[in-house]
């Protein structure tokens, strides 16, 4: 895959699954493209009195299984092809965890670090004025993504409700709790991944409570994985963690809660008492039972896949493993829990938020955890069973499960 255009990559991944499934040409072509996309300009009055024109997108990739769902990303390098690829991946992610939603994504080309709070609010409201009529709980439901926050979701919801003239909190998720956000959204991504690890460990007959684990990337996903691994699996030894500034290792185990506290206080993991330094690349090759790539894309490649020793790689990050490395890890017997299954806990709890908003009845934290556990366990079982039956690696198995579900919905609707 020399062409790194993300949408081309997304199409190639689908092509592989379509070939394996023997998908008919019309369904295959339908699933290769977004069903609908919107491109628009957003004029914003800046604090200095000038007007600046921003460019925005919303892609509704496929809604055969339900309203489209996906975040809005604010990034200076945002392109329509990035949004298309992310919308395609959302389609497969929602289908993999079997929630009744399609896939969508949105974006604004901007650098939020250069915007004041007031400018951000006017930009958020402008986005809704431009495309809001295409959104709604039964049409398309946005959420936060890179550089968008619960506060931005709150402004967007307020603008939408002002336009439609009534309460409509389910039109967007990832809202602050007082405005209809869901309990349990904060750690949902890591929690969903750890549930998958629990199921994978059973299959591989690993005693998860005694297993060693290492985490690359110590942000939202990685920090929660550190503590939830112990909480959900009843133990385990955290051996190493890293962030963009470097990593630390202690063969006797690192106190997960203490290192999270240290990271929050100092902004780094380096120098955590009782540990020695380790590079990000060495961390990936440690002899641990479970690895959590939780930072960036493209970190496990054909150059280092042969040196990976973990038995399970739980991809909380999006796209940490290249296609070439996937094949190598599979041949080595390493079980990869692919990103769009392993990190689907976030969108699953977003879906719960939408359901609670629609009912105007809110669940307890325990209810959210129980429902999330069921969805993640079912997703793992479906993908693992497909892997066994079709003798393919886990990512291809996940694609096969997801694409089959979306294709079936398209067929039942009479589209193909
Ligand atoms: P974050 O910004 O909170 O944390 C990212 C972490 O990665 C930071 O600790 C950063 O220091 C570290 N990092 C950056 N460059 C690194 C490098 N070269 N080596 C090691 N660490 C490095 O982000 P997040 O929300 O935790 O997301 C992490 C990954 O998980 C991303 O790929 C994201 O797309 C994916 N993901 C997150 C969620 C979610 O709900 N947070 C949901 C789905 C997928």
């Amino acid at each position: 895959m020399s062409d790194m255009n993300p949408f081309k990559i997304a199409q190639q991944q689908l092509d592989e699954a379509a070939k394996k499934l023997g998908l008919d040409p019309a369904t295959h072509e339908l699933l290769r493209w977004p069903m609908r996309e919107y491109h628009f300009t957003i004029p914003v009055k800046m604090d200095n009195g000038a007007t600046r024109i921003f460019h925005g997108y919303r892609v509704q990739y496929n809604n055969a299984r339900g309203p489209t769902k996906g975040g809005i990303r604010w990034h200076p390098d945002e392109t329509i092809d990035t949004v298309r690829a992310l919308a395609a991946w959302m389609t497969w992610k929602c289908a993999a965890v079997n929630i009744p939603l399609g896939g969508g994504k949105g974006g604004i080309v901007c650098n939020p670090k250069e915007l004041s709070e007031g400018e951000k609010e006017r930009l958020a409201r402008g986005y809704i004025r431009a495309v809001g009529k295409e959104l709604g709980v039964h049409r398309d439901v946005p959420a936060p993504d890179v550089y968008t926050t619960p506060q931005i979701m709150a402004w967007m919801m307020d603008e939408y409700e002002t336009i439609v003239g009534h309460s409509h909190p389910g039109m967007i998720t990832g809202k602050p709790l007082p405005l209809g956000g869901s309990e349990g959204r904060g750690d949902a991504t890591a929690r969903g991944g750890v549930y998958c690890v629990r199921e994978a460990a059973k299959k591989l007959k690993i005693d998860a409570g005694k297993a060693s684990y290492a985490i690359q990337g110590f942000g939202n996903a990685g920090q929660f994985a550190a503590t939830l691994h112990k909480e959900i699996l009843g133990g385990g030894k955290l051996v190493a963690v890293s962030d963009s500034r470097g990593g630390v290792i202690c063969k006797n185990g690192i106190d997960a809660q203490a290192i999270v506290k240290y990271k929050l206080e100092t902004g780094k993991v380096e120098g955590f008492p009782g540990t020695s330094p380790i590079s990000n690349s060495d961390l990936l090759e440690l002899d641990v039972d479970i690895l959590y790539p939780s930072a960036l894309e493209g970190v496990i490649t054909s150059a280092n896949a042969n040196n990976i020793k973990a038995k399970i790689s739980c991809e909380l990050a999006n796209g940490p493993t290249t296609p070439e490395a996937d094949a190598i890890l599979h041949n080595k017997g390493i079980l990869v829990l692919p990103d769009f299954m392993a990190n689907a806990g976030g969108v699953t709890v977003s879906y719960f938020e939408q359901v609670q908003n629609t009912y105007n009845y809110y669940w307890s934290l325990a209810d959210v955890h129980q429902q999330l556990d069921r969805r993640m366990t079912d997703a793992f079982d479906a993908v693992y069973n497909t892997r066994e039956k079709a003798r393919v690696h886990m990512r291809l198995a996940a694609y096969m499960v997801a694409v089959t579900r979306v294709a079936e919905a398209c067929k039942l609707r009479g589209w193909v």
Side-chain angles (χ1 to χ4, degrees), residues 7-87:
F7 185 48
K8 292 249 166 69
I9 292 175
Q11 286 183 318
Q12 284 174 18
Q13 290 168 334
L14 170 72
D15 293 346
E16 196 188 350
K19 194 166 154 207
K20 195 79 195 167
L21 291 167
L23 213 60
D24 67 89
T27 307
H28 183 187
E29 183 64 7
L30 181 68
L31 298 184
R32 288 189 97 236
W33 298 98
M35 298 189 74
R36 209 171 289 115
E37 57 187 47
Y38 304 94
H39 301 217
F40 41 91
T41 47
I42 310 167
V44 173
K45 289 265 182 300
M46 306 301 280
D47 291 349
N48 65 6
T51 297
R52 219 175 118 188
I53 309 300
F54 292 87
H55 294 268
Y57 307 110
R58 185 73 193 166
V59 172
Q60 296 169 349
Y61 196 85
N62 186 290
N63 64 358
R65 287 173 48 84
T68 48
K69 175 104 193 77
I72 300 174
R73 182 177 276 206
W74 288 11
H75 200 275
D77 302 331
E78 193 70 306
T79 67
I80 184 62
D81 275 341
T82 318
V83 184
R84 285 173 177 151
L86 291 163

Side-chain angles (χ1 to χ4, degrees), residues 69 90 93 97 99 143 173-174 184-193 341-353 372 376:
K69 175 104 193 77
M90 283 304 296
K93 188 184 284 204
V97 282
I99 53 182
T173 62
R185 177 64 185 86
D187 70 10
T189 299
R191 181 175 289 276
M341 173 188 83
N343 70 28
V347 72
T348 304
V349 175
S350 272
Y351 161 63
F352 296 161
E353 179 176 337
L372 177 63
M376 297 306 300

Side-chain angles (χ1 to χ4, degrees), residues 73 86 93 145-146 185-190 215-223 242-247 263 267 269 280-281 293-297 299 315-320 339 342-347:
R73 182 177 276 206
L86 291 163
K93 188 184 284 204
D145 197 84
V146 173
R185 177 64 185 86
D187 70 10
T189 299
I215 300 176
Q216 189 197 43
F218 216 50
N220 174 289
Q223 288 174 29
S242 66
D243 62 19
S244 56
R245 292 164 71 166
K263 165 81 182 176
V269 295
N280 261 300
S281 48
S294 313
L296 300 176
E297 62 283 358
V299 292
E315 297 183 344
L316 295 179
N318 280 315
D339 48 9
N343 70 28
V347 72

Side-chain angles (χ1 to χ4, degrees), residues 72 87 91 130 134 144 193 233 236 258 262 300 313 352 404-405:
I72 300 174
T91 307
E134 313 303 340
L233 304 178
Y262 179 85
I300 301 178
S313 174
F352 296 161
T404 300
R405 288 177 178 163

Side-chain angles (χ1 to χ4, degrees), residues 3 41 48 120 135 140 145 149 157 167 181 194 200 233 309 323 329:
D3 187 339
T41 47
N48 65 6
K120 282 188 208 170
L135 307 176
D140 182 13
D145 197 84
T149 59
M157 181 192 80
S167 168
V194 176
L233 304 178
K309 297 174 196 71
L329 297 183

Side-chain angles (χ1 to χ4, degrees), residues 1 13 16 300-306 308 313 315 319-340 387 392-399:
M1 274 191 207
Q13 290 168 334
E16 196 188 350
I300 301 178
T301 67
S302 55
N304 63 357
N306 268 314
I308 306 290
S313 174
E315 297 183 344
T321 310
T322 64
E324 296 78 9
D326 257 335
I328 297 171
L329 297 183
H330 181 62
N331 290 337
K332 280 169 65 85
I334 297 171
L335 194 69
V336 173
L337 306 179
D339 48 9
F340 74 85
R387 168 193 184 261
V392 293
H393 59 75
M394 284 288 276
R395 193 176 324 276
L396 183 51
Y399 261 98

Side-chain angles (χ1 to χ4, degrees), residues 140-406:
D140 182 13
V141 182
D145 197 84
V146 173
Y147 291 144
T148 48
T149 59
Q151 175 62 72
I152 291 174
M153 300 303 108
W155 288 324
M156 288 184 166
M157 181 192 80
D158 183 68
E159 189 68 22
Y160 185 87
E161 291 186 344
T162 304
I163 292 169
V164 299
H166 56 82
S167 168
H168 196 120
M171 62 77 51
I172 204 160
T173 62
K175 300 180 292 293
L177 273 179
L179 292 184
S182 178
E183 294 283 357
R185 177 64 185 86
D187 70 10
T189 299
R191 181 175 289 276
V194 176
Y195 289 146
C196 289
V197 167
R198 182 192 62 203
E199 298 308 308
K202 282 186 208 159
K203 298 284 182 200
L204 301 186
K205 303 204 178 349
I206 295 171
D207 182 349
K210 296 207 178 91
S212 55
Y213 64 108
I215 300 176
Q216 189 197 43
F218 216 50
N220 174 289
Q223 288 174 29
F224 279 121
T227 49
L228 287 174
H229 181 104
K230 290 193 187 225
E231 187 186 311
I232 293 169
L233 304 178
K237 186 162 71 171
L238 176 62
V239 171
V241 304
S242 66
D243 62 19
S244 56
R245 292 164 71 166
V248 290
I249 179 168
C250 176
K251 288 252 154 79
N252 295 327
I254 298 172
D255 181 332
Q257 272 175 348
I259 197 163
V260 169
K261 187 161 175 274
Y262 179 85
K263 165 81 182 176
L264 294 174
E265 282 167 5
T266 65
K268 58 183 180 145
V269 295
E270 255 177 357
F272 181 69
T275 61
S276 343
I278 183 170
S279 71
N280 261 300
S281 48
D282 288 348
L283 178 142
L284 292 173
E285 298 178 11
L286 282 175
D287 191 2
V288 288
D289 296 307
I290 296 150
L291 182 64
Y292 288 95
S294 313
L296 300 176
E297 62 283 358
V299 292
I300 301 178
T301 67
S302 55
N304 63 357
N306 268 314
N307 303 330
I308 306 290
K309 297 174 196 71
K311 299 183 181 78
I312 297 170
S313 174
C314 176
E315 297 183 344
L316 295 179
N318 280 315
T321 310
T322 64
E324 296 78 9
D326 257 335
I328 297 171
L329 297 183
H330 181 62
N331 290 337
K332 280 169 65 85
I334 297 171
L335 194 69
V336 173
L337 306 179
D339 48 9
F340 74 85
M341 173 188 83
N343 70 28
V347 72
T348 304
V349 175
S350 272
Y351 161 63
F352 296 161
E353 179 176 337
Q354 201 181 323
V355 170
Q356 293 169 78
N357 294 154
T358 305
Y359 273 78
N360 202 11
Y361 177 81
Y362 289 83
W363 305 353
S364 68
L365 184 59
D367 287 341
V368 171
H369 290 168
Q370 191 190 10
Q371 292 286 336
L372 177 63
D373 194 347
R374 180 171 71 80
R375 299 272 173 182
M376 297 306 300
T377 303
D378 287 353
F380 174 86
D381 285 344
V383 172
Y384 190 83
N385 292 341
T386 301
R387 168 193 184 261
E388 297 288 280
K389 237 188 252 166
R391 299 185 168 280
V392 293
H393 59 75
M394 284 288 276
R395 193 176 324 276
L396 183 51
Y399 261 98
M400 290 167 68
V401 168
V403 170
T404 300
R405 288 177 178 163
V406 179

